[in-house]
Amino acid sequence: MSISKSKPSVLKHADGEFYTRYFAKAYDTLTTLSGWKRHIMPAAFLDLPKGRLLDVGCGTGDVLNEALLRGYNATGIDASEGMVQKAKTRHGLDDQQIKVSLADDLPFADQSFDAGIASGSLVHIPQIQGAVKEIHRVLKPGGIMRILDHAVPVQKSITTPIFWAFSHASGDILHDYKHYFENGFELVDHKTIARGGYLQKFDFKKI
């Protein structure tokens, strides 16, 4: 069993049920006002290979829908039934394009996807080892897994304390992705994007 390399916040993380009950209706407004979408969208598809794409923790489907518009054969999963239903209504997605599922129990065959993306979702998974194992299973060899999420900053700024408070108030679990993806993956890109260094981009290639 690997040693935990995650830093939990002071508040309980928001799981799928919590999002269904409290956040699903207001999620799109909150992510727009907080600047999340403005930072995520430009980085989501930059140099990401076309093909069959899995969106892990797709929420209300903005990134998933953008992927479909860009020509990806995209499928999304989310643990929150409320978020999935909103995505279907908002973007006209069907049961083949989006499913209710846990990240550590993906309903897909081995080597089904050319690439994967997780934006703002893995911070809500306490047992990330299971999710990493499943992501590795469903990706094809050479497939890229892109993570756009909060992590412990490696580049700080004057706004870092503000986003430290934001991350804790959001219930984030800050995972050391380099640690959890060290077996079966190669880190091919890592950049700081925004939010006082908390919002970062990781690209892992399945080997």
Side-chain angles (χ1 to χ4, degrees):
M1 182 177 180
S2 62
I3 298 173
S4 175
K5 299 284 286 185
S6 303
K7 296 181 181 297
S9 69
V10 295
L11 298 180
K12 185 180 185 297
H13 76 282
D15 58 14
E17 181 180 353
F18 190 89
Y19 265 93
T20 294
R21 294 181 63 186
Y22 301 110
F23 282 163
K25 292 182 179 180
Y27 182 79
D28 293 308
T29 299
L30 292 173
T31 52
T32 298
L33 293 177
S34 70
W36 178 261
K37 292 180 185 178
R38 175 169 52 87
H39 293 307
I40 288 296
M41 285 302 186
F45 303 104
L46 184 63
D47 298 324
L48 190 66
K50 288 288 182 68
R52 193 172 184 206
L53 174 70
L54 175 64
D55 188 346
V56 180
C58 61
T60 55
D62 280 352
V63 172
L64 174 60
N65 186 64
E66 182 66 20
L68 292 166
L69 293 175
R70 288 172 177 258
Y72 289 88
N73 178 10
T75 303
I77 64 99
D78 199 277
S80 168
E81 184 175 352
M83 300 284 270
V84 168
Q85 289 302 320
K86 186 169 183 181
K88 287 181 176 180
T89 301
R90 189 161 184 255
H91 298 294
L93 302 172
D94 61 34
D95 290 341
Q96 297 303 310
Q97 294 167 321
I98 188 169
K99 305 174 185 293
V100 178
S101 172
L102 296 175
D104 59 1
D105 189 19
L106 297 173
F108 307 107
D110 296 356
Q111 301 184 17
S112 294
F113 295 93
D114 300 289
I117 189 167
S119 57
S121 58
L122 298 185
V123 290
H124 300 301
I125 301 176
Q127 302 300 329
I128 192 172
Q129 297 97 326
V132 173
K133 183 177 179 180
E134 280 290 88
I135 289 168
H136 186 274
R137 180 182 66 80
V138 301
L139 275 181
K140 296 177 182 178
I144 297 293
M145 180 62 200
R146 175 163 294 173
I147 299 170
L148 300 166
D149 219 332
H150 282 183
V152 175
V154 292
Q155 298 177 16
K156 298 183 180 181
S157 71
I158 59 173
T159 62
T160 300
I162 296 173
F163 287 101
W164 177 91
F166 180 90
S167 180
H168 276 269
S170 301
D172 289 350
I173 305 169
L174 301 181
H175 300 300
D176 182 344
Y177 295 112
K178 293 180 183 179
H179 169 75
Y180 288 114
F181 282 82
E182 67 181 356
N183 294 320
F185 289 93
E186 175 190 0
L187 178 66
V188 293
D189 192 42
H190 178 209
K191 290 184 174 66
T192 295
I193 298 177
R195 294 192 164 195
Y198 273 88
L199 181 54
Q200 299 171 41
K201 168 182 172 287
F202 301 83
D203 279 354
F204 293 97
K205 182 171 72 172
K206 177 178 174 177
I207 55 178

